Structure formats: C-alpha cells, structure tokens
C-alpha cells in the first residue's frame, strides 16, 4: 500500500514598506522606490517562483495616493497570486482599503494550506507609532478562537517587541501588552510577522516565532540609537508554512540593484 504524499507547504511572499509615490521618479533618500520594488520582485521570481499568497505589511505608499497603490497592485500582478494588504503609518488607510478591494487584497483573515492567517491594522491616523484599538483586539481574539486547531500566523505593520534600536523602539506598537494578552490565550499561534522596521529580525517569545523583514527600498541601520540608514540592498521574506505548524523562512535581497543612498539624512 502506498502512503499518501505529504501535504504541500503554503508558500508566502512578504513584501513590505515599498513607499511608492504617484510620480514615477519618486525617490526616498536617493532610492527610486518603483525601481527598487521591481528589483525585489524580479529576485523573488527568479529565486522562489510562484507564491500561493502575498502579504504586504504596510507603508505601501509614501504619499498615500491611489496612483501609488495601483502601481503596487499592478507590479505584483505578474505573480497571479492571492494578496492581502495592510496599512502602515505612511498610508492613507481609506485609499489603501478602496484600492485593495479592486485587487482582491482586502481580506483580513485567510484559512489556507492548513493555516489561519490573521491581519491587523495597527496604523494610527497622523502618528508614526502603532496601536491596536479595541475592535482590532476583539477581531484577533475572535479570529483565533474560530480556528483553534489550525496553526496561526498574525501579521501587522508595527513591531510588538523591542528590536534593539532606540529610535525605532519608541515608534513601535504602543499597547503591546494588550496584543500579547490575546496571543497568549491562543497557543496555536506560531508566527507574528511585521514590517515598519526596514530590517530583518528573527526572534522568539513563548514558542512564537517573531519575524520582521527588510523594506523593498531603504534599510534602517540595525542597533542604531537615532535615525540612521545603511546601504544594504532591498529585500523580501519567503515563508513555507507546513500544515503541521512547521515553518521554513529566509530573507533574500536584490543584491544586483544599484543605488546611491543618502546616508546623511536625519529622517525621511
């Protein structure tokens, strides 16, 4: 008797913080953000191929314009994959939500490949830091309670733990204790994934994998006390989520992308 093949892993591409603009020549600290996104997409297609799902974890637009969001959606159309978009602190939440609907990227919970994937809006209008309002925390609790047997991945824009960078840790998720109180009630949560920090991070808390991902444009200097950038190439994260809760993940960078970064800026 032959044994059934092992169920395939769910292949997830995380794209974060592209900071696109309506203007094709729009640049962030000297880096053309459309060109850098294109380089990252090209690297993902060459190295990993077709994802089952694309998670876009915020700061999709620098100027909050519908034109920028449409550039983002059209750029990712080459994959033909399901998408889910989150807002970050630079996004116009209403415009993003309206445009995401056009691309079928407005879903907040997806049950795919044996996993329960829950997306949270941590953006605060007019602020750089993040917060999860009561309805977001209730949504998280309800979404996790509805699928207690499935491993879960929770995605948001702002980091819910310190990453060892003074200025960034001041603008992370403000009410992280309330967030973790919900997570701790649901032991099936395997991964918490975020953007915002423009750098790779890989940690662990009470059995939950903690992951952050490079931006598709500029990269913040790791361990810096004040705002600083470093000339690392733009990148993405690839995740393979096994139905039994196992995880394989890696960060890749578009090392062939050439750019001149303004490292003397005190902000962006």
């Amino acid at each position: 008797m032959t044994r059934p093949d092992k169920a395939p892993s769910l292949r997830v591409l995380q794209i974060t913080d592209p900071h696109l603009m309506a203007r094709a020549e729009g640049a962030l600290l000297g880096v053309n953000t459309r060109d850098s996104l294109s380089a990252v997409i090209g690297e993902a297609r060459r190295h990993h191929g077709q994802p089952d799902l694309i998670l876009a974890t915020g700061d999709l637009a620098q100027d909050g314009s519908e034109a920028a969001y449409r550039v983002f959606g059209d750029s990712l159309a080459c994959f033909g994959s399901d998408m889910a978009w989150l807002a970050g602190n630079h996004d116009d939440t209403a415009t993003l939500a309206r445009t995401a609907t056009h691309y079928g990227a407005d879903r907040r919970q997806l049950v795919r490949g044996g996993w329960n994937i829950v997306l949270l809006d941590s953006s605060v209008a007019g602020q750089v830091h993040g917060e999860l309002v009561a309805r977001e925390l209730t949504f998280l609790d309800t979404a996790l309670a509805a699928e207690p047997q499935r491993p879960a991945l929770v995605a948001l824009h702002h980091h819910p733990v310190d990453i060892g960078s003074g200025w960034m840790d001041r603008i992370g998720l403000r009410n992280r204790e309330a967030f973790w109180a919900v997570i701790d009630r649901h032991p099936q949560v395997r991964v918490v994934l975020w953007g915002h920090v423009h750098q790779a991070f890989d940690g662990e808390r009470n059995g939950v994998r903690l992951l952050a991902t490079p931006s598709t444009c500029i990269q913040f200097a790791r361990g810096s006390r004040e705002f600083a950038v470093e000339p690392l190439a733009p990148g993405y994260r690839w995740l393979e989520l096994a139905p039994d809760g196992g995880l394989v993940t890696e960060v890749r960078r578009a090392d062939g992308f050439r750019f001149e970064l303004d490292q003397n800026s005190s902000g962006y």
Side-chain angles (χ1 to χ4, degrees), residues 53-177:
L53 174 66
I54 299 171
L55 295 180
T57 50
D59 282 358
L60 310 188
Q62 175 74 2
D63 59 8
S65 67
E66 181 176 342
Y69 296 124
R70 287 187 174 272
V71 168
F72 184 70
D74 291 347
S75 296
L76 292 172
C78 62
F79 289 108
S81 304
D82 287 344
M83 295 188 286
W85 299 0
L86 281 175
N89 51 286
H90 284 275
D91 289 306
D92 182 288
T93 304
T95 305
L96 184 152
R98 184 173 63 250
T99 314
T101 300
H102 175 78
Y103 291 94
D106 56 337
R107 288 161 292 182
R108 300 285 307 284
Q109 182 178 13
L110 304 97
V111 177
R112 294 284 303 274
W115 280 69
N116 182 20
I117 298 172
V118 182
L119 295 93
L120 302 175
D121 182 359
S122 61
S123 64
V124 181
Q127 300 295 325
V128 180
H129 69 264
E131 186 170 351
L132 294 170
V133 298
R135 67 176 176 272
E136 288 296 306
L137 293 168
T138 299
F139 166 67
L140 173 63
D141 199 27
T142 301
L144 293 174
E147 300 286 346
Q149 303 305 316
R150 297 183 190 273
L153 180 151
V154 176
L156 69 167
H157 180 66
H158 292 84
H159 48 303
V161 296
D162 287 347
I163 62 165
S165 177
W167 74 279
M168 280 301 305
D169 289 338
R170 292 191 293 270
I171 58 172
L173 186 69
R174 286 280 174 90
N175 61 334
R176 61 184 63 180
E177 295 84 3

Side-chain angles (χ1 to χ4, degrees), residues 232-251:
L232 292 175
Y236 67 93
R237 182 177 291 278
W238 185 264
L239 304 100
E240 297 190 2
L241 308 177
D244 63 1
L247 164 70
V248 176
T249 185
E250 70 169 310
V251 166

